[in-house]
Amino acid sequence: MKRLNTIRTMMAGTMLAAMSLAAPGVAPAAAQTAAPADLTKLPPIPKDYQPKKTAWGDPDLRGTWPIDNIASLPMQRPAQFGDRFFLNDEEFAQRQEQANRSDQAYAAEDKNNTIGMGHWVESDASGRRTSLLVDPANGQLPAFTEKAKQLMAAGRSSWTPNTKFNWVTDFDSWDRCISRGFPASMFPFRYNNGIRVFQSPGYVVIALEMLGSRVIPIVDKNSPAWPQQVEQWLGHSVGHWEGNTLVIETTNIKSGDGATTDAFARNGSPLNMATLGVPPFNVIPTSKQAKVTERLTMTGPDSIVYEATYSDPEVFTAPWTARLDWTRNDEYQFFEYACHEGNVQVRNYINASRAGTLQELTESQVESESGQ
């Protein structure tokens, strides 16, 4: 984050859930202040901007593009907005007023040298969009398949209710500081929303502030596929240019589910509950058919439109697409994300859960367990 070395100290799920409701804060943004004539129509991505070129002739996407300024935009559209992609003038004024109140609260924190919860979840919900999801047009995720529903109902993580924790298989990959999942890692979180893009001849690197970076070779569209059995937490990505748009195709995403008792068969949920408006519990499965197509298009010297289309026919009944507006902020600072170094959650949850189980036993059951 900009002000704090925000190492994830594994807090109770209820506290983090409350943090997601915190008011938006200060962050640079390329807010869309003018509403389109028809709020129910999503305009196409502008393609008329001609970006600078690298020394080797590719469009130059290099820079720091934190998405904290859109972290309070929900993935799915709240019901009150109906079929509208954009806020009306009155709703936008209310959003701006809320942002101003947050600015004042953060300024008071800084003046008093007291960093409260606000700076952990810094965002300003900029612009007029009603959701990150743009397809389906109703702003809602497609229905889950019956197989996915069954796996989700049996899934376990530190976020699922009434779970007894006995081993690491009862925790998701985020609990264990391994991965936020993919494409979840590309969507705004409650904190640590930094994204930095590097380029060299034949490669684009997307460095993420939290848990992972991606090295993406630029290849011919007809390059051979990876062997299906070789998987990665952030998948196998290859890129190509379509005009000034970088297109990234990702397959071989770590497959699995949250119901398994095999620690090596757990996936990282493709949507993480720390993104506002995502289904709870981090138990969405990933099949070997999962695929992500990303498109990065510069629409100005300090703006990129990022689109990600996700398809997994074993989990979702249809593909879905999210569109994010990236805003350049080269003053944004990255700090080490030392999640593992302070991660006592897994051990503590198991110890507490086992202690609770012992308390529930009768005297005769305790004697039987101890061999007496």
Side-chain angles (χ1 to χ4, degrees):
M1 293 185 69
K2 296 188 286 297
R3 297 174 177 83
L4 294 175
N5 182 355
T6 53
I7 298 171
R8 185 187 180 201
T9 57
M10 293 295 186
M11 294 177 259
T14 52
M15 180 175 179
L16 277 177
M19 287 171 65
S20 70
L21 302 177
V26 289
Q32 180 179 350
T33 56
D38 187 345
L39 301 180
T40 67
K41 301 294 184 183
L42 183 72
I45 299 172
K47 299 290 182 68
D48 53 345
Y49 177 72
Q50 296 299 315
K52 294 180 180 178
K53 302 289 186 177
T54 63
W56 53 95
D58 289 339
D60 192 346
L61 307 180
R62 290 174 295 185
T64 303
W65 309 90
I67 53 176
D68 54 341
N69 62 303
I70 55 173
S72 293
L73 291 181
M75 176 62 69
Q76 301 185 85
R77 185 182 305 148
Q80 69 262 31
F81 299 128
D83 59 353
R84 291 186 284 119
F85 288 96
F86 300 95
L87 305 179
N88 59 35
D89 290 341
E90 181 181 358
E91 292 162 341
F92 181 60
Q94 292 172 351
R95 179 175 285 179
Q96 294 296 94
E97 182 181 354
Q98 184 183 28
N100 290 336
R101 289 197 302 267
S102 298
D103 290 349
Q104 294 169 7
Y106 291 170
E109 284 185 1
D110 291 339
K111 181 178 179 180
N112 297 327
N113 197 29
T114 56
I115 298 298
M117 189 185 299
H119 284 305
W120 281 78
V121 286
E122 219 164 56
S123 64
D124 67 3
S126 64
R128 288 183 174 265
R129 288 272 301 284
T130 56
S131 65
L132 299 177
L133 208 65
V134 295
D135 185 44
N138 64 4
Q140 303 298 304
L141 288 168
F144 290 104
T145 64
E146 288 303 316
K147 178 181 178 180
K149 290 177 183 177
Q150 293 172 11
L151 289 170
M152 292 168 66
R156 303 178 313 287
S157 74
S158 72
W159 312 98
T160 54
N162 305 316
T163 299
K164 291 186 179 297
F165 302 98
N166 290 301
W167 192 237
V168 294
T169 53
D170 296 320
F171 298 87
D172 63 42
S173 63
W174 190 38
D175 293 330
R176 297 171 60 197
C177 299
I178 297 171
S179 174
R180 292 179 287 165
F182 192 79
S185 294
M186 298 302 299
F187 298 141
F189 264 49
R190 293 172 181 142
Y191 46 72
N192 294 111
N193 280 303
I195 295 176
R196 189 166 287 157
V197 178
F198 301 90
Q199 289 174 256
S200 64
Y203 290 91
V204 173
V205 175
I206 299 178
L208 303 173
E209 187 176 9
M210 189 199 304
L211 291 177
S213 293
R214 306 168 60 195
V215 179
I216 303 161
I218 305 300
V219 301
D220 183 272
K221 286 192 292 184
N222 298 316
S223 62
W226 256 27
Q228 188 180 49
Q229 66 270 26
V230 182
E231 297 180 342
Q232 299 186 114
W233 288 105
L234 300 181
H236 171 62
S237 299
V238 294
H240 66 271
W241 293 99
E242 294 183 1
N244 290 323
T245 296
L246 174 64
V247 181
I248 305 170
E249 303 279 356
T250 301
T251 57
N252 299 76
I253 303 165
K254 181 72 177 69
S255 61
D257 56 70
T260 181
T261 57
D262 180 354
F264 296 100
R266 290 211 60 150
N267 69 316
S269 178
L271 289 171
N272 187 292
M273 60 171 287
T275 298
L276 196 64
V278 161
F281 308 144
N282 286 351
V283 289
I284 302 174
T286 305
S287 83
K288 292 184 179 296
Q289 297 186 62
K291 179 180 179 180
V292 183
T293 301
E294 301 162 281
R295 305 178 71 87
L296 283 72
T297 306
M298 289 197 74
T299 56
D302 299 316
S303 58
I304 289 176
V305 174
Y306 169 90
E307 275 198 344
T309 298
Y310 185 76
S311 173
D312 188 346
E314 290 191 30
V315 176
F316 290 97
T317 54
W320 50 264
T321 299
R323 181 185 291 186
L324 285 65
D325 296 315
W326 290 8
T327 304
R328 185 190 301 275
N329 179 9
D330 289 330
E331 295 183 0
Y332 185 100
Q333 299 180 56
F334 276 36
F335 296 92
E336 179 188 10
Y337 188 75
C339 183
H340 264 297
E341 295 178 13
N343 186 8
V344 297
Q345 173 169 286
V346 174
R347 178 190 294 273
N348 288 348
Y349 270 48
I350 292 173
N351 287 343
S353 187
R354 290 180 176 176
T357 300
L358 287 174
Q359 289 176 347
E360 295 170 0
L361 297 178
T362 64
E363 184 176 343
S364 61
Q365 288 174 320
V366 173
E367 290 177 353
S368 175
E369 287 286 332
S370 62
Q372 296 179 2

